Amino acid sequence: MIPYLDELPPEIYDGILTHVPRGERQQTTLSLTRAIPRSPVPLRHLFECIRLKSAESVVHLYCRLRGRLEEPRWVNGFSLETWSVDADVVVNLVNLLPRLSRITLFVGSDFAPEHMEEILEKPREALSYISLLCREQLIISFSRWEGSACTGVLVANSGKQGAYFDTALVALARWPTANYPTLSIVQDPLDAEMAHKHHFAQPLVFFRLDAIHTLACSPYLRSLTNLRLRIPSRQVASFIYSSPRSIPGLQILDLSTCNVRLTDVEALAARFQQLTHLIIDECNITRGDAEGEWSNVGKICALATVKAAKEREKKLKAWLEARAVRSSPDPEVATVPEEEVTPARRARPGRRGLAIATISLRDPPTRMTMPVIRTNIVVPKVRIVPSSPTLRSLSATTSALHKDKHDAIRAQFKRGWEEGLAQLTATRSRLSQSWRNGTRMMRIAGDQGVEEGFDGLEDVDGEGAFYGRDAIRNPWPVPVLCLAGAGPNSVQHVDRCGHAAASCVYDI
């Protein structure tokens, strides 16, 4: 006899709902409970992944969960997707949920820095994903938002005086080390047409960018692999790559809409040893689409590790020389004359005639003496082998919209990348010969820590460090160059581009 639908055991419903996509599981569970109200549908799926899109739903959920013990523990993901909401209710609601692993918040004008500090004050052990989307801090009168379009009258260019969220990043930086793979901080860019019409500048969400450096170097981001940081027109890249302690395991980096220069691209590719996807849409790293511009980009990406190795080698050499001087038992000190320096005479106005005197009755310049240390110190010669390039895709925006021009740009990029690889291969070949002749060779380890002395370095153990394991087949393939942009565009994305990789990580 075939049982009725409402007679199925709860295990069957549980197995069915686990195959429903996470974003649709809540609505599917709700539909089942309404269609067959007497069925034993597990209600935990109703609370497992919550997405709220109105201020009223925030209040209703808070009233439902307040005072309950079991239901708040069912909530695994929480997403607030509305700009107009009572921030105090949101704070109270989030603090009711002890087992959150994913948080997505639309930070509108009702949020103050104190609200974000309270949400992020206590570390959450289960949290693996956090996304903060910051709306432009604008006072809007008699208006409403429909997607990205605004109708109404803008009456001011600042929602709250001094409402900067630097302290939110500092609060995150104080969390202990944890398995924390994904972080997303996005500020909506100001609409260009609206800004020009009303003479508005991009509002500031973060006043000082030092907090980004503090967060990037914090123990809590040691395991971070995916970072999306979009702060329009701000130079944030240097605060990410300036320290060797910054996010050692970074693989996907999205700095779209930021002020990113070509030198920043080079530094990012050099600093992060596991970076595979770099997304810099609307950053304008080139001055245009002229011949050779994108060839230079490809060459810089390929040679970034060469420059990093040279700079690290200089620091190591200076450290070895300083250590050798300090450890010298009996340096020989000699006194030698310094170069004669005659003070410059003050120029006087007027024409110079032929009667200007050619001799001077002033005292002759004195000779200065200074001690010079002469030692027989021998500093060991150590060379740093450039690391292999890890970049697999670069997503950028260009003014060329036609697909035929994109193909030409990709050809330029490929040519520059291959030229850079040729120089990298030649550099490694020379270092390989020096290694065979007895010169000590080292390479930068994955987790660099600090760049002092031999910290973050390891000795070369064989020929593979100079040529790579896959040198014969295809050592370093040309990164995928996607020029489609992040938004809807008539130009198709390239297969295996950074946009596709990021879409698998971020919910919005």
Side-chain angles (χ1 to χ4, degrees):
M1 179 178 179
I2 302 176
Y4 292 102
L5 189 60
D6 57 2
E7 296 178 355
L8 293 175
E11 292 80 6
I12 299 296
Y13 290 107
D14 189 69
I16 294 174
L17 290 172
T18 53
H19 288 82
V20 177
R22 183 177 54 192
E24 304 173 6
R25 196 171 300 168
Q26 181 188 28
Q27 186 60 44
T28 303
T29 305
L30 182 62
S31 300
L32 279 175
T33 57
R34 290 177 175 176
I36 41 178
R38 293 182 298 173
S39 62
V41 177
L43 293 182
R44 68 180 183 87
H45 293 291
L46 192 63
F47 297 90
E48 202 172 45
C49 183
I50 295 178
R51 303 186 72 170
L52 304 180
K53 299 185 179 182
S54 67
E56 293 78 11
S57 60
V58 176
V59 177
H60 293 160
L61 181 63
Y62 175 70
C63 294
R64 170 67 184 269
L65 297 181
R66 185 178 58 181
R68 305 293 182 95
L69 294 178
E70 187 176 15
E71 292 178 355
R73 295 178 177 274
W74 288 344
V75 183
N76 180 265
F78 177 75
S79 177
L80 176 65
E81 301 175 15
T82 176
W83 297 113
S84 301
V85 67
D86 190 331
D88 291 321
V89 178
V90 175
V91 172
N92 294 333
L93 175 58
V94 172
N95 289 336
L96 285 178
L97 311 176
R99 296 184 177 179
L100 285 177
S101 63
R102 301 176 68 87
I103 298 177
T104 299
L105 295 178
F106 281 28
V107 184
S109 57
D110 291 328
F111 274 86
E114 293 76 14
H115 293 119
M116 293 305 303
E117 288 183 65
E118 191 171 351
I119 291 176
L120 303 175
E121 181 181 5
K122 295 181 180 179
R124 298 177 180 270
E125 297 180 357
L127 191 64
S128 62
Y129 174 97
I130 183 169
S131 178
L132 305 176
L133 293 97
C134 303
R135 182 191 183 181
E136 304 149 352
Q137 300 295 298
L138 299 173
I139 296 178
I140 303 178
S141 188
F142 304 107
S143 62
R144 62 192 181 92
W145 286 82
E146 298 177 352
S148 60
C150 175
T151 61
V153 180
L154 299 173
V155 298
N157 67 344
S158 177
K160 288 188 176 113
Q161 293 296 329
Y164 305 117
F165 290 87
D166 308 42
T167 53
L169 303 184
V170 177
L172 270 179
R174 288 195 292 262
W175 287 19
T177 304
N179 183 18
Y180 192 62
T182 304
L183 174 64
S184 173
I185 301 174
V186 177
Q187 179 189 3
D188 287 341
L190 189 63
D191 182 79
E193 183 178 351
M194 182 173 59
H196 178 73
K197 181 178 180 181
H198 299 283
H199 306 286
F200 284 152
Q202 178 70 44
L204 297 182
V205 172
F206 302 103
F207 183 70
R208 292 179 58 88
L209 298 179
D210 297 349
I212 296 176
H213 177 268
T214 302
L215 178 61
C217 299
S218 65
Y220 194 63
L221 297 192
R222 296 292 293 173
S223 59
L224 191 78
T225 56
N226 313 305
L227 174 61
R228 180 169 61 180
L229 185 61
R230 296 181 180 179
I231 306 179
S233 304
R234 302 293 297 275
Q235 295 182 351
V236 303
S238 60
F239 293 92
I240 300 174
Y241 63 72
S242 59
S243 173
R245 296 190 299 271
S246 176
I247 322 178
L250 190 61
Q251 298 178 12
I252 301 177
L253 177 61
D254 185 350
L255 296 178
S256 299
T257 73
C258 299
N259 186 357
V260 179
R261 301 161 297 180
L262 191 53
T263 54
D264 295 326
V265 174
E266 181 181 32
L268 290 168
R271 169 62 65 194
F272 300 109
Q273 302 291 311
Q274 301 180 40
L275 184 64
T276 54
H277 301 287
L278 179 59
I279 305 173
I280 48 175
D281 293 322
E282 301 179 34
C283 292
N284 299 321
I285 59 172
T286 62
R287 293 171 295 179
D289 305 314
E291 181 72 23
E293 285 283 345
W294 287 94
S295 177
N296 187 37
V297 174
K299 188 174 182 179
I300 284 177
C301 290
L303 288 175
T305 58
V306 176
K307 183 177 180 180
K310 291 180 179 179
E311 293 178 353
R312 185 66 179 91
E313 192 174 296
K314 291 179 181 178
K315 294 179 181 179
L316 177 60
K317 182 179 179 181
W319 182 83
L320 290 172
E321 291 175 349
R323 187 183 67 168
V325 170
R326 289 194 303 268
S327 61
S328 178
D330 185 22
E332 177 187 356
V333 180
T335 302
V336 296
E338 192 181 2
E339 293 183 357
E340 296 180 357
V341 179
T342 304
R345 298 180 61 181
R346 183 170 59 91
R348 297 182 180 275
R351 296 182 58 187
R352 290 182 176 272
L354 298 176
I356 297 296
T358 58
I359 62 174
S360 175
L361 299 178
R362 296 182 179 183
D363 295 333
T366 57
R367 289 178 174 266
M368 302 289 295
T369 59
M370 62 179 297
V372 175
I373 300 178
R374 296 174 179 174
T375 63
N376 296 323
I377 298 174
V378 178
V379 178
K381 187 175 183 180
V382 182
R383 302 296 304 274
I384 307 297
V385 181
S387 304
S388 300
T390 60
L391 201 62
R392 291 295 174 262
S393 79
L394 176 66
S395 302
T397 306
T398 175
S399 59
L401 298 179
H402 200 275
K403 187 177 184 301
D404 293 341
K405 292 186 177 180
H406 284 191
D407 292 340
I409 290 174
R410 292 191 187 95
Q412 290 184 36
F413 181 82
K414 178 181 179 181
R415 182 168 62 252
W417 175 268
E418 292 175 347
E419 290 177 3
L421 286 188
Q423 294 186 23
L424 173 61
T425 303
T427 300
R428 284 185 160 188
S429 179
R430 291 193 299 268
L431 293 176
S432 174
Q433 185 61 43
S434 299
W435 177 67
R436 294 191 191 95
N437 294 335
T439 302
R440 184 180 181 182
M441 293 289 165
M442 305 192 77
R443 58 186 173 189
I444 300 175
D447 190 356
Q448 301 177 42
V450 294
E451 293 182 340
E452 181 178 357
F454 293 102
D455 291 339
L457 299 176
E458 60 183 11
D459 284 298
V460 168
D461 54 1
E463 292 283 346
F466 301 99
Y467 301 105
R469 298 177 180 177
D470 301 327
I472 298 178
R473 293 199 305 271
N474 189 12
W476 307 295
V478 181
V480 172
L481 179 60
C482 183
L483 305 172
N489 201 311
S490 59
V491 180
Q492 295 294 322
H493 289 272
V494 183
D495 292 339
R496 297 175 286 106
C497 72
H499 299 115
S503 66
C504 299
V505 174
Y506 303 107
D507 290 340
I508 299 177

